Amino acid sequence: MYLTRRETFNAAHRLFRPEYTDEQNFEIFGKCSNPNWHGHNYTLYVTVKGDVNPKTGMVVNLKTLSKIIKELVIEKVDHKNLNTEVDFMKGKMASTEMICLAIWDVLERPIREMGAQLHCVRLEETENNFVEFFG
Amino acid sequence: MYLTRRETFNAAHRLFRPEYTDEQNFEIFGKCSNPNWHGHNYTLYVTVKGDVNPKTGMVVNLKTLSKIIKELVIEKVDHKNLNTEVDFMKGKMASTEMICLAIWDVLERPIREMGAQLHCVRLEETENNFVEFFG
Amino acid sequence: MYLTRRETFNAAHRLFRPEYTDEQNFEIFGKCSNPNWHGHNYTLYVTVKGDVNPKTGMVVNLKTLSKIIKELVIEKVDHKNLNTEVDFMKGKMASTEMICLAIWDVLERPIREMGAQLHCVRLEETENNFVEFFG
Amino acid sequence: MYLTRRETFNAAHRLFRPEYTDEQNFEIFGKCSNPNWHGHNYTLYVTVKGDVNPKTGMVVNLKTLSKIIKELVIEKVDHKNLNTEVDFMKGKMASTEMICLAIWDVLERPIREMGAQLHCVRLEETENNFVEFFG
Amino acid sequence: MYLTRRETFNAAHRLFRPEYTDEQNFEIFGKCSNPNWHGHNYTLYVTVKGDVNPKTGMVVNLKTLSKIIKELVIEKVDHKNLNTEVDFMKGKMASTEMICLAIWDVLERPIREMGAQLHCVRLEETENNFVEFFG
Amino acid sequence: MYLTRRETFNAAHRLFRPEYTDEQNFEIFGKCSNPNWHGHNYTLYVTVKGDVNPKTGMVVNLKTLSKIIKELVIEKVDHKNLNTEVDFMKGKMASTEMICLAIWDVLERPIREMGAQLHCVRLEETENNFVEFFG
């Protein structure tokens, strides 16, 4: 059984490599390289996998799952600058792919300790673009 | 090829174990244990898997698939109390996970008899929570 | 300027008049009269009207508006039975129209005391049905 | 007849008054005052009002309307910093209300010159918050 | 109190004037003038206005409203060609505006005879374009 | 890492086999067999799979992916008749399944040449029906 929790956050970011000029960054990353930042309403889906507990009828307690996601991810990224303010993004490109990977790394162990298994992190940047990572 | 049909229903439910006190149920299930019930607009996605019939260009006839889902599931749960009124939920917790499992059991054979294979039952309780079962 | 805040809640309800038989209630209210309850994910939109404060650039502080709606409405109806457990619905039909009217009555004064004016309460019962009240 | 066109853009912003300390800004604007910016996927709805042209069956040509909105608004705000990079936001708070007002001012005349009348600018910051201005 | 019912239909159409050449039609109507047709999933919102009946707690019976819309509109346009097959569109441009006006004319009287008043017909052609008519 | 791009198009189609009578076609395909066509707003999701490029933080460049999908698919189907005007649909049933398969065939190689792997084509015909093909 797969159980998914949706959470949302709003953040600023920029795609660029510091060793490149603004022109080079624009050529590769387009408008996303704007040095003055832009931002998104991100939608995060965290899917865990596990057996249904016959006592509770649940894979894991959704309230606990939501609390873990909020404490370990949302509070660190919501209304923040993903390039400069988020500990688990230090030294990484702030692309949707890299944020998704980083969120996987943050959540994998705590969810295992809840008795379930992290199955998928899905991160939507806009209604037209999203990424999924399955470990 | 995977073909998915979406259907919706509205129902009341409550999460609790009869052998627990209201306080114990509240501790485990939170507001969902309210003895006076609450309810949801559930969204159900049924995905079947099969080869595309070269004559019709279809995996299965969507009208038939929708009819089966409506007769075997929607008519039994729509505007109903999931804890007390639904035959295939008798003696089970009315959690999203258990409803999803029960719907799988109800649909698996009739869809096989249509010449396709049930691949996934996805049940959304709110815009923030959903479960998926793949058999 | 009109500012709208969206909040959601899940609740059980039933449409019926106590002086009618179950058959009479079914004739008028259809499946919504089920004596064992059913429920919905309600979506509530509260729209306030006012001048934009030149200091803050805001009509009202959204955090305060959201807090008022949550304290005075959401906490009283979320995961509740709208027929039996909600003080501001006592003695009223639990139809979308009557809930909408009651929410208007609850919010009108507190929003006036915030320095804005309640303009519209919109209550969505399903993706297919909603009501709006403008006072 | 009222005709509405939806467009979207992604931008960074921050709510603050320069004469206040960070603490004072946080007290009034909360997380939205983060000095390192955050951002949103904004959704813009522009509604024009007019008679239906009996020759074309249209209020205005949607392609022209969309072109005007894109040239005068979207290209100036998309992937931009609303506080520092947008000419029509110079010297203004970057709140949803003020952006909405500024978009009204930008579009009012060009739409009049198309032979229609700007009726409403609606700007959605998140799925939970939006503003509307009717002139 | 305003009550809204959503219904959907799928149809083919084409924007053109028979007295123009294909080139002239393309210049005015763009890709929508394709002589081989294209189509849409239309979403229709019908809003009625009225007092809340104190006996039923309703403006009008939603089931009756939905039945009227289905019989008088949806059955005539769903899976149809809006230019050639719909009686109430005979001799009219199949633009969203003209379809909306025609639906108003079809529904105005039957809704008045139900004891309510048609307030708004809103017709969405795509997620980016919609029209509203208020009589 | 899986990266998905959403694109949309509007088209007319009809389900039928030329060797059948209209009655036979109606029996099998229902309203979808209407000889005068109907249409849809199709939503297309293209998912590619690949390693994250450590230089760019991306699986593939989304702008390039979107450009390929637009040039090879959207421009050929948007505002078109899927039965008669689309080269890659010649001689095929215009069912959602067959369109999905044809889009897979069109995109598989160009995406491989971008250095990624086509993982899934998902095509939504309405909010209630969609198909997915994984190769």
Side-chain angles (χ1 to χ4, degrees):
Chain A
M1 179 69 58
Y2 296 79
L3 170 69
T4 300
R5 176 73 189 172
R6 185 184 87 120
E7 304 282 350
T8 61
F9 61 95
N10 312 313
H13 83 138
R14 177 195 172 194
L15 293 184
F16 77 111
R17 293 194 64 83
E19 67 269 29
Y20 292 170
T21 62
D22 280 4
E23 287 69 30
Q24 288 174 314
N25 277 313
F26 184 81
E27 202 178 327
I28 301 173
F29 301 108
K31 291 181 298 183
C32 296
S33 67
N34 179 4
N36 298 308
W37 318 101
H38 67 284
H40 296 288
N41 303 339
Y42 289 92
T43 307
L44 172 67
Y45 294 86
V46 175
T47 302
V48 305
K49 176 163 118 180
D51 292 329
V52 179
N53 180 324
K55 273 259 153 109
T56 61
M58 306 189 287
V59 175
V60 294
N61 194 314
L62 252 186
K63 247 168 68 178
T64 318
L65 178 59
S66 171
K67 193 162 158 272
I68 283 176
I69 302 170
K70 277 189 182 134
E71 279 177 15
L72 299 181
V73 178
I74 303 301
E75 282 179 17
K76 296 194 169 174
V77 291
D78 189 33
H79 286 79
K80 289 286 174 13
N81 185 312
L82 296 169
N83 292 70
T84 67
E85 293 188 295
V86 179
D87 56 4
F88 60 71
M89 290 302 297
K90 279 279 149 62
K92 297 175 184 165
M93 299 282 298
S95 65
T96 320
E97 284 92 335
M98 296 302 282
I99 308 166
C100 182
L101 276 174
I103 292 174
W104 175 282
D105 288 342
V106 166
L107 291 178
E108 196 279 332
R109 191 146 75 133
I111 284 171
R112 198 160 10 100
E113 290 171 359
M114 281 178 76
Q117 192 183 332
L118 181 55
H119 173 69
C120 180
V121 173
R122 171 176 171 150
L123 186 60
E124 302 187 349
E125 192 189 58
T126 72
E127 61 186 359
N128 296 320
N129 308 325
F130 62 87
V131 301
E132 291 162 299
F133 186 64
F134 295 86
Chain B
M1 180 69 59
Y2 295 80
L3 170 69
T4 300
R5 177 74 189 173
R6 183 185 86 119
E7 304 283 351
T8 59
F9 61 94
N10 312 313
H13 83 140
R14 179 197 172 190
L15 294 184
F16 77 111
R17 291 194 68 80
E19 67 268 31
Y20 294 170
T21 63
D22 281 3
E23 288 69 31
Q24 287 173 314
N25 277 313
F26 184 81
E27 201 179 328
I28 300 173
F29 300 109
K31 292 181 297 182
C32 296
S33 67
N34 179 3
N36 298 308
W37 319 101
H38 67 284
H40 296 288
N41 302 340
Y42 290 92
T43 307
L44 172 68
Y45 294 85
V46 175
T47 301
V48 305
K49 177 163 118 182
D51 293 328
V52 180
N53 180 325
K55 274 256 154 115
T56 60
M58 305 189 289
V59 174
V60 293
N61 195 313
L62 254 185
K63 249 169 63 180
T64 319
L65 179 58
S66 170
K67 193 162 158 273
I68 284 177
I69 302 171
K70 277 188 183 135
E71 279 177 15
L72 299 181
V73 179
I74 303 301
E75 282 180 19
K76 295 194 170 174
V77 291
D78 190 32
H79 286 79
K80 288 287 176 9
N81 185 312
L82 297 169
N83 292 70
T84 66
E85 292 187 296
V86 180
D87 56 6
F88 60 70
M89 292 301 298
K90 280 279 151 62
K92 298 175 185 166
M93 300 281 298
S95 66
T96 321
E97 285 91 337
M98 297 303 281
I99 307 166
C100 182
L101 276 173
I103 292 174
W104 175 281
D105 288 341
V106 167
L107 291 177
E108 197 279 332
R109 191 145 76 133
I111 284 171
R112 196 157 15 98
E113 290 170 0
M114 282 179 75
Q117 192 183 333
L118 181 56
H119 174 67
C120 180
V121 173
R122 172 174 169 153
L123 186 60
E124 301 187 351
E125 192 189 58
T126 72
E127 62 185 1
N128 297 322
N129 308 327
F130 62 87
V131 301
E132 292 162 298
F133 186 64
F134 295 85
Chain C
M1 178 71 58
Y2 295 79
L3 170 70
T4 300
R5 176 74 188 172
R6 184 185 87 119
E7 306 283 351
T8 60
F9 62 93
N10 313 313
H13 83 141
R14 176 196 174 194
L15 293 185
F16 77 112
R17 292 193 67 81
E19 67 267 32
Y20 293 170
T21 63
D22 280 3
E23 288 68 30
Q24 288 174 312
N25 277 312
F26 184 80
E27 200 179 328
I28 301 173
F29 302 108
K31 293 182 296 182
C32 296
S33 68
N34 178 4
N36 298 308
W37 318 101
H38 67 285
H40 297 287
N41 302 341
Y42 290 92
T43 307
L44 173 66
Y45 294 86
V46 175
T47 301
V48 304
K49 176 163 117 181
D51 293 328
V52 179
N53 179 326
K55 274 257 153 111
T56 60
M58 307 189 287
V59 173
V60 294
N61 194 314
L62 252 185
K63 249 169 64 180
T64 317
L65 178 59
S66 171
K67 194 163 158 272
I68 283 177
I69 302 171
K70 276 188 182 132
E71 280 177 14
L72 299 181
V73 178
I74 303 301
E75 283 179 19
K76 296 195 169 174
V77 291
D78 190 34
H79 286 77
K80 289 287 175 6
N81 185 313
L82 296 169
N83 293 71
T84 66
E85 292 187 296
V86 180
D87 55 6
F88 61 70
M89 290 301 297
K90 279 279 150 63
K92 299 175 184 166
M93 299 282 296
S95 66
T96 321
E97 285 91 335
M98 296 303 282
I99 307 165
C100 182
L101 274 175
I103 292 174
W104 174 281
D105 287 341
V106 166
L107 291 177
E108 197 278 333
R109 190 146 76 137
I111 284 171
R112 197 158 13 99
E113 290 170 359
M114 281 178 77
Q117 193 183 331
L118 181 55
H119 174 68
C120 179
V121 172
R122 173 175 168 153
L123 186 61
E124 302 188 350
E125 191 189 60
T126 73
E127 62 185 1
N128 296 322
N129 308 327
F130 62 87
V131 300
E132 290 162 299
F133 186 63
F134 295 86
Chain D
M1 179 71 57
Y2 296 80
L3 170 70
T4 299
R5 176 74 188 173
R6 185 185 87 119
E7 305 282 350
T8 61
F9 61 94
N10 312 313
H13 83 140
R14 176 196 174 195
L15 293 185
F16 77 112
R17 292 193 67 81
E19 68 267 31
Y20 294 170
T21 63
D22 280 4
E23 287 70 29
Q24 288 173 312
N25 276 312
F26 184 80
E27 201 179 326
I28 300 173
F29 301 108
K31 291 182 297 182
C32 296
S33 68
N34 179 4
N36 298 307
W37 317 101
H38 67 286
H40 296 288
N41 302 341
Y42 289 92
T43 308
L44 173 66
Y45 294 85
V46 175
T47 302
V48 305
K49 175 163 118 183
D51 292 328
V52 179
N53 179 324
K55 274 256 152 114
T56 61
M58 307 189 287
V59 174
V60 293
N61 194 313
L62 251 186
K63 248 168 66 179
T64 318
L65 179 59
S66 172
K67 194 162 158 271
I68 284 177
I69 302 171
K70 275 186 184 136
E71 279 177 16
L72 299 181
V73 178
I74 303 302
E75 283 180 18
K76 296 193 169 173
V77 292
D78 190 33
H79 286 77
K80 288 287 173 11
N81 185 312
L82 297 169
N83 292 70
T84 67
E85 292 188 296
V86 180
D87 56 5
F88 60 70
M89 291 302 297
K90 279 279 149 62
K92 298 175 185 164
M93 301 281 297
S95 65
T96 321
E97 285 92 335
M98 296 303 281
I99 308 165
C100 182
L101 275 175
I103 292 174
W104 175 281
D105 287 341
V106 166
L107 291 177
E108 197 278 333
R109 191 147 75 135
I111 284 171
R112 199 160 10 101
E113 289 169 0
M114 283 178 75
Q117 192 183 332
L118 181 56
H119 174 68
C120 179
V121 173
R122 173 175 169 151
L123 186 61
E124 301 188 351
E125 192 189 61
T126 72
E127 63 186 359
N128 296 322
N129 307 326
F130 63 86
V131 300
E132 290 160 299
F133 185 63
F134 296 85
Chain E
M1 179 71 56
Y2 296 79
L3 170 69
T4 300
R5 177 73 189 173
R6 183 184 89 118
E7 304 284 350
T8 60
F9 62 95
N10 313 314
H13 83 138
R14 177 197 172 193
L15 293 185
F16 77 112
R17 291 192 68 80
E19 68 268 31
Y20 293 170
T21 63
D22 280 5
E23 288 69 30
Q24 288 174 312
N25 276 313
F26 185 79
E27 201 179 325
I28 301 173
F29 301 109
K31 293 181 296 184
C32 296
S33 67
N34 179 5
N36 298 306
W37 318 102
H38 68 284
H40 296 288
N41 302 340
Y42 290 91
T43 307
L44 172 67
Y45 293 86
V46 175
T47 302
V48 305
K49 177 162 116 182
D51 292 329
V52 180
N53 179 326
K55 273 257 152 114
T56 61
M58 306 190 286
V59 174
V60 294
N61 195 314
L62 252 185
K63 249 169 62 180
T64 317
L65 179 58
S66 171
K67 193 161 158 275
I68 284 178
I69 302 171
K70 276 186 183 135
E71 279 176 15
L72 299 182
V73 179
I74 303 302
E75 281 178 21
K76 296 195 169 173
V77 291
D78 190 32
H79 287 77
K80 288 287 174 9
N81 186 312
L82 296 169
N83 293 70
T84 67
E85 292 188 296
V86 180
D87 55 5
F88 59 71
M89 291 302 297
K90 280 277 151 65
K92 298 176 185 167
M93 300 280 299
S95 65
T96 321
E97 285 92 335
M98 295 303 282
I99 308 165
C100 182
L101 276 174
I103 293 174
W104 175 281
D105 286 342
V106 166
L107 291 177
E108 197 278 334
R109 191 147 74 136
I111 284 170
R112 196 155 17 97
E113 290 170 359
M114 282 177 76
Q117 192 183 332
L118 181 56
H119 174 68
C120 180
V121 173
R122 172 175 170 152
L123 185 61
E124 301 187 351
E125 191 190 61
T126 72
E127 63 186 359
N128 297 321
N129 307 328
F130 62 86
V131 300
E132 291 161 299
F133 186 63
F134 294 86
Chain F
M1 179 70 57
Y2 296 80
L3 170 69
T4 300
R5 177 73 188 173
R6 184 184 86 119
E7 305 282 351
T8 60
F9 61 95
N10 312 315
H13 82 139
R14 178 195 172 194
L15 294 183
F16 76 113
R17 291 193 67 81
E19 68 267 31
Y20 292 171
T21 62
D22 281 4
E23 287 68 33
Q24 287 173 313
N25 278 313
F26 184 81
E27 201 179 327
I28 300 173
F29 301 109
K31 292 180 296 181
C32 296
S33 68
N34 179 4
N36 298 306
W37 319 102
H38 67 285
H40 297 288
N41 303 340
Y42 290 92
T43 306
L44 172 68
Y45 293 86
V46 175
T47 301
V48 306
K49 174 163 118 180
D51 292 329
V52 180
N53 179 324
K55 273 257 153 112
T56 60
M58 306 189 288
V59 174
V60 293
N61 194 313
L62 251 187
K63 248 167 66 178
T64 318
L65 178 59
S66 171
K67 193 161 158 273
I68 283 176
I69 303 170
K70 277 188 182 134
E71 279 177 15
L72 299 180
V73 179
I74 303 300
E75 282 180 18
K76 297 193 168 175
V77 291
D78 190 32
H79 286 77
K80 289 286 177 5
N81 185 312
L82 296 167
N83 293 70
T84 67
E85 293 187 295
V86 180
D87 57 5
F88 60 70
M89 290 302 298
K90 280 278 148 63
K92 298 176 184 165
M93 300 282 297
S95 66
T96 320
E97 285 91 336
M98 296 303 281
I99 308 166
C100 182
L101 275 174
I103 292 174
W104 175 281
D105 287 342
V106 166
L107 291 177
E108 198 279 332
R109 191 147 75 135
I111 284 170
R112 197 157 14 96
E113 289 170 359
M114 281 178 76
Q117 193 183 331
L118 181 56
H119 173 68
C120 179
V121 173
R122 172 175 169 152
L123 186 61
E124 301 187 352
E125 191 189 60
T126 72
E127 62 185 1
N128 296 321
N129 308 327
F130 62 86
V131 301
E132 292 161 299
F133 185 64
F134 295 86

